[in-house]
Amino acid sequence: MPKRDYTIKLLGLEDFEVKSLDETKDKFFVTVEKPRQTHTCPNCGAITDTIHDYRIQYIKHTVLSDKKVILKYRKRRYVCESCNKRFYETSNFTPKRHQVSHQLISLILRSFNEICTYKSVSERYGVSITTVMRYYDKVNFEKNTLPAVIGLDEFKGNLDGEKFQTIITAPKVHNIIGFARSRNAQDLDIKMLSYKNADNVKLVVMDMSNIYKALVKRTFKNAEIVADKYHVVRLGNFALEAVRKKEQKKFSKEHRTKIKANKKILHKRLEDLSDEEVFKLSVMMEQMPELGKAYYLKMKYDDIFRSKDVYEAKRRISNFILEANVADIESFYKCTSALTNWITEISNIFRYKITNGYTEGCNNKTKVLKRISYGLRNYERFVKRRMQLQNNI
């Protein structure tokens, strides 16, 4: 294959003839023409191939070896011999009245499959930031249908003046479905009404939020709620830590530092402790009897999530609530309250064995995107960036 044919194929210029290639420090200038063809006059419909004149159009095209490729398109203007109408040859290489090729627009949009800023993309391809934003505003990645299993969660944002936004995911297939502007009932209802198949949803995985619980009851008539295991489990961790912090205040600063240094021991099961750790634990229990009772309750709480099935889980939940009421430790009230008020949703953890871990992971990636962008305030652009980044569209 001749060298010129390789150049044409490499640059995606199969419809053009490459006349010359010039190189500068940071650019390639490729002079191209289209083959001479007959054209239909847009005024009278007559056929003509008579050339009136040429003009040079500079088109930003792509990047090769970190150099920007600029096309010097020698564009013909034809003249109709019947009505003397002058018109340019047809070309679908660029959008109408644009100086950027379709190929470069595609590269710009695909750049957002990775975490990057509008500024970094504009510098890479030699276009302005507003140009990058203008092209990005024209794409849409949101879906209009819902799968049988969805995940709901909130995340802290700064979009359109709202402090929190809501993410909707498909945790089983690891996809983002969409976003709601806030966690307010009105915004949530507007978002859910935009989906065509709410009756298709059978399971909704979420944290123990009364806002989302009310949403599910209003919108998804055929769905059951599954409480996210992570949010339920951490209630026990919070309760034990609250007791430790309260009890260690009774000691000197030096002793408090030692207790804090050994706090990881409190979150291990007895059978997982070394002999040295067992000794340290026994010393803490002797010095702080209330912490000993809290440690025992925490282990009982953890046992709930070691249950083999929903029946064993319900039995252990009942036993834990009884023991926690007898122990009467204030920091465990939230545990017993959650287990009582959300018993059906927590039981579904063991029935359906699904968590909202994927959704939580999406929120972590959102934090990275916000950080490198120094905040994202435009809601529509945020949604597009976030969905493309996660789903790699």
Side-chain angles (χ1 to χ4, degrees):
M1 183 182 289
K3 290 182 179 179
R4 183 166 293 181
D5 291 342
Y6 280 122
T7 303
I8 290 172
K9 195 170 184 66
L10 182 65
L11 297 176
L13 300 173
E14 287 84 352
D15 294 336
F16 291 83
E17 294 176 350
V18 176
K19 297 298 183 180
S20 65
L21 191 152
D22 301 306
E23 184 178 359
T24 66
K25 185 178 179 180
D26 58 350
K27 291 184 178 72
F28 289 113
F29 288 92
V30 185
T31 304
V32 296
E33 287 182 8
K34 292 196 73 174
R36 183 171 178 175
Q37 298 173 333
T38 58
H39 280 67
T40 302
C41 175
N43 186 47
C44 68
I47 304 298
T48 182
D49 68 346
T50 304
I51 299 171
H52 176 69
D53 59 12
Y54 290 84
R55 63 164 285 216
I56 298 296
Q57 180 181 357
Y58 288 88
I59 300 172
K60 295 173 182 177
H61 181 47
T62 187
V63 174
L64 284 178
S65 302
D66 293 328
K67 291 189 176 185
K68 299 171 181 64
V69 176
I70 309 297
L71 301 184
K72 292 174 65 176
Y73 175 23
R74 198 160 176 260
K75 194 172 185 179
R76 293 185 184 90
R77 189 161 60 143
Y78 290 89
V79 60
C80 176
E81 295 176 339
S82 299
C83 66
N84 208 34
K85 171 72 175 178
R86 294 164 179 79
F87 57 92
Y88 285 107
E89 63 187 354
T90 56
S91 173
N92 296 321
F93 195 69
T94 63
K96 192 173 182 180
R97 299 187 182 90
H98 285 236
Q99 304 298 313
V100 178
S101 70
H102 286 298
Q103 183 170 326
L104 185 58
I105 294 172
S106 179
L107 288 173
I108 289 171
L109 296 179
R110 285 206 301 269
S111 297
F112 294 106
N113 283 340
E114 302 174 356
I115 295 178
C116 58
T117 63
Y118 294 116
K119 183 178 179 181
S120 65
V121 174
S122 73
E123 291 174 347
R124 186 188 313 170
Y125 295 114
V127 296
S128 68
I129 296 176
T130 53
T131 297
V132 173
M133 290 180 173
R134 185 170 65 250
Y135 288 132
Y136 206 74
D137 286 344
K138 295 178 181 179
V139 299
N140 181 35
F141 301 115
E142 284 205 87
K143 299 171 175 59
N144 57 9
T145 58
L146 294 168
V149 180
I150 67 170
L152 294 177
D153 198 16
E154 65 184 25
F155 62 92
K156 191 173 182 180
N158 55 348
L159 303 171
D160 290 348
E162 293 289 347
K163 190 174 181 180
F164 291 95
Q165 282 73 48
T166 297
I167 183 173
I168 308 156
T169 68
K172 280 204 165 184
V173 295
H174 289 194
N175 267 331
I176 295 177
I177 304 299
F179 294 85
R181 288 180 178 273
S182 71
R183 57 181 179 180
N184 298 329
Q186 182 179 1
D187 286 334
L188 290 171
D189 287 344
I190 289 171
K191 183 60 187 176
M192 295 310 169
L193 287 171
S194 70
Y195 297 111
K196 300 176 180 178
N197 62 336
D199 291 343
N200 182 56
V201 178
K202 300 295 185 287
L203 291 179
V204 180
V205 192
M206 51 180 251
D207 58 19
M208 290 175 288
S209 164
N210 288 318
I211 295 173
Y212 294 141
K213 188 175 186 178
L215 171 69
V216 173
K217 293 186 180 298
R218 288 195 310 271
T219 309
F220 306 116
K221 305 300 182 183
N222 301 323
E224 291 186 75
I225 296 173
V226 181
D228 181 39
K229 183 178 177 181
Y230 165 76
H231 286 87
V232 185
V233 169
R234 70 176 185 173
L235 289 177
N237 297 332
F238 291 162
L240 180 59
E241 279 296 288
V243 175
R244 177 188 64 79
K245 291 174 183 178
K246 179 183 176 182
E247 290 297 304
Q248 72 183 25
K249 287 180 180 178
K250 301 174 182 178
F251 298 91
S252 66
K253 182 178 180 180
E254 182 181 355
H255 199 65
R256 288 201 305 270
T257 302
K258 291 181 180 179
I259 295 171
K260 186 176 181 179
N262 292 319
K263 69 177 183 179
K264 288 185 178 179
I265 296 174
L266 293 169
H267 295 279
K268 291 185 178 181
R269 301 182 67 80
L270 277 173
E271 57 268 26
D272 297 329
L273 296 176
S274 65
D275 291 341
E276 182 182 356
E277 289 174 329
V278 170
F279 174 75
K280 290 179 179 178
L281 180 64
S282 62
V283 171
M284 283 193 287
M285 301 307 164
E286 184 177 348
Q287 294 175 338
M288 298 173 285
E290 188 78 359
L291 185 60
K293 291 195 294 182
Y295 177 79
Y296 172 80
L297 281 179
K298 171 62 165 52
M299 294 303 105
K300 286 293 183 180
Y301 188 76
D302 287 348
D303 283 343
I304 295 171
F305 303 97
R306 291 170 170 259
S307 302
K308 295 178 181 178
D309 53 48
V310 66
Y311 305 105
E312 184 178 4
K314 284 186 173 181
R315 177 175 57 79
R316 288 180 173 179
I317 288 172
S318 298
N319 291 340
F320 172 81
I321 291 173
L322 286 174
E323 294 195 53
N325 288 336
V326 171
D328 195 26
I329 298 176
E330 185 178 353
S331 63
F332 279 87
Y333 289 171
K334 283 189 176 180
C335 295
T336 56
S337 176
L339 292 174
T340 302
N341 297 329
W342 291 79
I343 182 63
T344 302
E345 293 78 13
I346 292 173
S347 298
N348 285 338
I349 294 173
F350 307 94
R351 184 174 286 113
Y352 297 109
K353 301 187 185 304
I354 185 170
T355 72
N356 220 15
Y358 171 74
T359 311
E360 296 291 339
C362 290
N363 288 344
N364 288 335
K365 213 166 188 178
T366 297
K367 292 176 184 176
V368 176
L369 177 62
K370 285 166 51 186
R371 185 167 64 248
I372 66 113
S373 302
Y374 298 98
L376 286 163
R377 297 186 181 276
N378 184 288
Y379 173 76
E380 284 76 16
R381 286 180 188 148
F382 164 79
V383 169
K384 292 172 185 178
R385 289 290 311 276
R386 192 61 192 85
M387 290 197 68
Q388 181 178 6
L389 182 62
Q390 193 72 23
N391 299 335
N392 199 25
I393 298 169

